Amino acid sequence: MDDLHLRKIRTMPLPDEFPGVHAMGDEETEAALRVCRSKSLYRYYGMNLLKETSSFEAEFADFLNIPYVVAVTSGTAALHTALSALGVGPGCEVIVPAYMWVSVIAAVVNLGAIPVLADIDETFCLDPADVARKITPRTVGMIAVHMSGAPADIVRLAAVAKQHGIFLLEDCAQCVGGSIDGRRVGTFGDMAIFSFQMNKNMSSGEAGAVVTHNEELYRRAVASHDAGYSRSDTGKLLMDDTTSYGWGRGLRLDELRASILRVQLRKLPGTIDRMHQSKYKIRQWLETCPELSLRRVIDPNGDTGCFLITIFPDATSAHAVNDRLRDLGIASASAETSNVILADYGMHIYYNIPALVHKVGTDYRGSPWSLTENQNSIYTYAKGTCPRADDLFERSQLLAIPSCLSHSDEDEILEAFQEALASVFQLAS
Ligand SMILES: Cc1ncc(COP(=O)(O)O)c(C=O)c1O
């Protein structure tokens, strides 16, 4: 082995992704203790109820500038709650992106509806033109997922939804706090969902939220996430609210996690700012490299910065640069979310989801694929269904940008990129 192959730029792993977690401190501990001491961990009543969950909902509504928020137990719970409030069921087709997280498709399938894959473009989010091509008389809506920290082309997607009279559900799980022209993601669609799981910009380990401008959808979401009935301001079940009542899923958030989320929400702008600064320092240098291109970001000011996506001319050079970066020590301890070629990024990629590719049903009848209501919705989900995404997945690299990078961490990432590009593309140094 020559010197070049022995040299490491870093010997310590990069910090793990977990953006909100790096900001955790005594404030979160104090909040959790406050709730434990109150002995009132359930949101609707208790011996000394602190109303952490309803306070979090009000503060998150304020942050987004949207009237209605329902806190739930996870982003997956939020997707099920929102789709059920929107009335999705058998006979419905819902358009989903080729790049997402498996929960997006799980929620559609669990409700008896058919997911229809649409391609992505260089934003790595839904391509509005492909969404328009995928609309059929059975299409009821689309789920636009703001992937890997930066917003989708949501204004154009909203226009497609409006033109065709279908709903737009925004999935902001990976882009909490992102915006376009100062308007927060989550406020462009009919409804939106958020996740506060541990890899997200703010976190209580597990939790989520459903948001909307529409009061009726809000009441339906409250009913669906709870026991099937919406509630009065004092938490009383409204048994005669006929426009919202139905069957509940028991996805209420508890006081403990809500108290932690209130602290994490206050820290969110700082968390985003740190990731954004690190990412754009690296991105600005990469912009000068003709060997690669970068993900198209609709509004760099509204990019939360938690991931950097670089696009190479072909799969061979993408893998070679990625491997070289790893050899140089650019990787975190949990390597799956550190630097990966997107094709290898697990169930974020449609063709890596076996139950989707093989149309595995949710019950003994093979629902939703076998339901009479869905007999005209015949789709495939194997690799090849979304050719533009397939091509991008093969030759794009995802690099997590932790919220606690030091200047020397950033410099080492830059130095490693310089060296990897020089060795793979055989540039004169
Ligand atoms: C895009 C997207 N949607 C939904 C979810 C589901 O969120 P949760 O893990 O909180 O259920 C995730 C979580 O990873 C996600 O990345």
Side-chain angles (χ1 to χ4, degrees), residues 55-349:
S55 298
F56 169 66
E57 288 173 342
E59 287 157 9
F60 198 53
D62 204 39
F63 173 78
L64 295 177
N65 196 14
I66 202 161
Y68 303 109
V69 173
V70 188
V72 294
T73 47
S74 70
T76 307
L79 282 161
H80 284 78
T81 302
L83 289 180
S84 101
L86 288 160
V88 169
C92 299
E93 292 178 2
V94 179
I95 296 176
V96 296
Y99 182 42
M100 38 69 225
W101 173 243
V102 60
S103 306
V104 173
I105 298 182
V108 176
V109 169
N110 279 329
L111 284 162
I114 295 291
V116 177
L117 289 167
D119 225 325
I120 59 167
D121 57 22
E122 277 73 14
T123 62
F124 286 81
C125 300
L126 273 179
D127 169 10
D130 201 47
V131 171
R133 279 193 288 275
K134 296 288 162 64
I135 290 173
T136 74
R138 298 173 295 281
T139 310
V140 294
M142 73 172 99
I143 307 179
V145 188
H146 302 282
M147 282 302 284
S148 305
D153 198 350
I154 200 70
V155 174
R156 286 180 62 209
L157 290 166
V160 173
K162 193 166 176 206
Q163 187 192 344
H164 293 272
I166 63 173
F167 70 72
L168 170 60
L169 170 60
E170 290 178 76
D171 178 333
C172 312
Q174 298 196 9
C175 195
V176 183
S179 60
I180 293 178
D181 295 333
R183 181 171 166 187
R184 298 259 181 233
V185 297
T187 62
F188 292 85
D190 298 282
M191 296 192 98
I193 72 97
F194 292 81
S195 163
F196 309 119
Q197 179 267 347
M198 199 166 75
N199 295 79
K200 307 307 188 293
N201 292 349
M202 52 181 270
S203 181
S204 57
E206 293 269 22
V210 179
V211 312
T212 180
H213 295 280
N214 181 305
E215 195 200 337
E216 185 175 333
L217 286 175
Y218 165 71
R219 283 189 285 108
R220 288 169 62 85
V222 171
S224 169
H225 101 295
D226 191 0
Y229 298 83
S230 62
R231 300 237 182 198
S232 71
D233 290 346
T234 57
K236 191 171 165 297
L237 286 170
L238 298 176
M239 307 306 289
D240 53 3
D241 183 9
T242 53
T243 56
S244 69
Y245 71 31
W247 299 99
R249 292 165 190 275
L251 306 172
R252 294 172 302 269
L253 189 66
D254 57 277
E255 292 284 283
L256 203 47
R257 283 181 285 175
S259 73
I260 294 171
L261 288 176
R262 293 181 69 196
V263 180
Q264 284 269 296
L265 179 59
R266 291 201 289 277
K267 295 182 177 179
L268 180 65
T271 303
I272 290 176
D273 196 45
R274 286 190 296 281
M275 296 189 292
H276 192 276
Q277 287 202 25
S278 296
K279 172 171 172 175
Y280 278 82
K281 178 172 167 185
I282 300 164
R283 203 180 136 109
Q284 267 153 22
W285 182 78
L286 290 173
E287 272 168 0
T288 66
C289 302
E291 298 78 28
L292 52 81
S293 58
L294 293 159
R295 170 196 195 167
R296 182 161 74 86
V297 178
I298 302 283
D299 175 5
N301 292 326
D303 177 355
T304 69
C306 50
F307 286 101
L308 173 79
I309 300 180
T310 38
I311 310 168
F312 293 88
D314 49 50
T316 310
S317 56
H319 279 275
V321 172
N322 198 49
D323 292 348
R324 188 82 191 112
L325 286 172
R326 277 181 186 276
D327 291 346
L328 291 166
I330 301 303
S332 59
S334 54
E336 328 66 72
T337 53
S338 173
N339 39 345
V340 285
I341 299 300
L342 280 181
D344 305 327
Y345 195 30
M347 292 196 291
H348 292 95
I349 307 299

Side-chain angles (χ1 to χ4, degrees), residues 9 281-282 406-418:
I9 288 174
K281 178 172 167 185
I282 300 164
S406 65
H407 292 313
S408 73
D409 292 332
E410 294 162 3
D411 292 341
E412 283 165 357
I413 293 173
L414 273 176
E415 192 187 338
F417 259 114
Q418 263 161 350

